Amino acid sequence: IGGATCGAPPAIAGSSVSGTVGSLPNGAAVVITISGTAPNGPVALSNTASVTAPAGINDTDPANNSSTVATSVAALSADISVVKTGPANAAPGTNVTYTLTVTNGGPDAATNVVLNDATPAGLSFVSASLPCAAGFPCSLGTVAAGGSTIVAVTFAVPANANGSIVNIANVGSDTPDPNPANNSSTVTIPIVAVTTAADLAVVKSGPASVTAGTNAVYTLLVTNNGPDAATGVVLADPTPTGLTLVSADGPCAGGFPCALGTLANGASVSVNVTFAVPLNATAAIVNTGSVTSATPDPNGNNNSSTVTTTVVPVVAASADLVVAKTGPVTVIAGSTITYTIMVTNNGPDGVPDAVLNDPTPPGLTFVSASAPCVGGFPCAIGAIANGASVTVTATYAVSPGLVGSVTNIASAHSATVPDPTPNNNSSTVATTVTGAPGGEMKPVPVDARWMLALMTLMLMLVGAPLAKRRR
């Protein structure tokens, strides 16, 4: 058969494979391999291949144009099994964990293996390892011959449980199993009440007194005096009436009650808690902390602790401001006059906002003042601590035509701190104004002798007419 090469890949139609081989020179051969998946046995397969010559070609021996092969397919089987193990016993109120071992004893792979471990009556599913984390039944997929898969599963035993726990696990597969007897495994364990005890104690400490408007800090010391570990420890510290929770140490940062977890025999946990005391608080603060546990406590007398804190009311601040003003006794008209003003805080508290005033008297004109009153009066002299003083000088121009006296009054006050003695908050200086130099009336010096002669003359003038009348 001459001419062409092998044609396109053969087409598969149902259970038949056909295709064009193409041209075959004399003596040539083509090898074609066909692969397929045998069905599950037992079954006998008969596979026949045939070839035909194209039209126009005479096949001199058509008897060898086909060939048949018979193949015996054995049945697939996989001996899948499960073995379940667990603890010797379980205690009420605890968790119990089982181990499930799934094994394929072959001879073939087990496909679509499914494991089931129904939750025993009265218990609660807690967790399971992969691939069964979501619970049961769960798919293990394909387990190769000789392969195994191990799954751990945990159930919660209720606190009131008694009797025994019967736990049955079973496994199945799409692959025929020649030994289904080992496809399930049962474990029965007794529930044994374990006598445990943990003497939890809490001691609360705090301040004997606190000032209203401040924070009060307390410390709670929780101790497990044993003999066993205390599980599920919970600390409570309700916020006292009228107070506000500010903060607490972890694990109680989120507030109370808070979980302290498991506390081993002899272990302790210290928690600090801060409450804000309102400014108007007056009543004593009664603060009680308490602790509980899932483990029985043989001594409940030390499970709470109370601290009573006296609230000290806030006393209103006060400050006795005293003003002392000094200045000249006399001053000449047309000149300047300078006063010194001292403001003293006699306490008992500081003043944050002292104000000094020194109004300009009539006939005077403000000239200058020392800091902090350089801009004039009234002026803010700011904070004056208890016992401190501030001194300010003030200068005024005296009108040239002014006569008589000038009265200058300085005063100080605080807008926020009351003054228990307001009578000394001001100070007055009176200054006499005399005539200007060169224009004032100066007294004429008189000699005593001239004064005596003048008086003698006046007596003589007055006495002469009297003497004439007597004659």
Side-chain angles (χ1 to χ4, degrees), residues 315-425:
V315 178
S318 65
D320 179 20
L321 291 180
V322 179
V323 178
K325 181 165 190 171
T326 58
V329 177
T330 62
V331 66
I332 299 173
S335 63
T336 59
I337 183 172
T338 299
Y339 297 95
T340 299
I341 308 165
M342 177 180 287
V343 181
T344 302
N345 180 9
N346 287 338
D349 299 297
V351 171
D353 55 355
V355 175
L356 175 62
N357 195 18
D358 188 23
T360 302
L364 272 61
T365 303
F366 176 76
V367 175
S368 65
S370 61
C373 300
V374 292
F377 299 94
C379 69
I381 56 178
I384 305 178
N386 177 21
S389 298
V390 175
T391 300
V392 175
T393 59
T395 301
Y396 300 90
V398 184
S399 174
L402 183 64
V403 292
S405 64
V406 175
T407 300
N408 193 322
I409 304 173
S411 62
H413 72 279
S414 167
T416 59
V417 181
D419 192 326
T421 312
N423 296 334
N424 55 10
N425 286 23

Side-chain angles (χ1 to χ4, degrees), residues 114 202 247 281 397:
V114 175
V202 60
S247 64

Side-chain angles (χ1 to χ4, degrees), residues 106-146:
D108 300 299
T111 60
N112 194 25
V113 178
V114 175
L115 174 64
N116 192 22
D117 187 15
T119 302
L123 274 61
S124 301
F125 174 77
V126 176
S127 64
S129 60
L130 294 174
C132 300
F136 298 93
C138 66
S139 174
L140 305 186
T142 297
V143 179

Side-chain angles (χ1 to χ4, degrees), residues 266-297:
S268 296
V269 174
S270 180
V271 175
N272 295 315
V273 56
T274 301
F275 299 102
V277 183
L279 189 62
N280 60 352
T282 56
I285 301 169
V286 179
N287 192 329
T288 301
S290 61
V291 65
T292 59
S293 169
T295 304
D297 192 329

Side-chain angles (χ1 to χ4, degrees), residues 134-163:
F136 298 93
C138 66
S139 174
L140 305 186
T142 297
V143 179
S148 296
T149 299
I150 298 176
V151 175
V153 56
T154 300
F155 301 101
V157 183
N160 61 352
N162 55 58

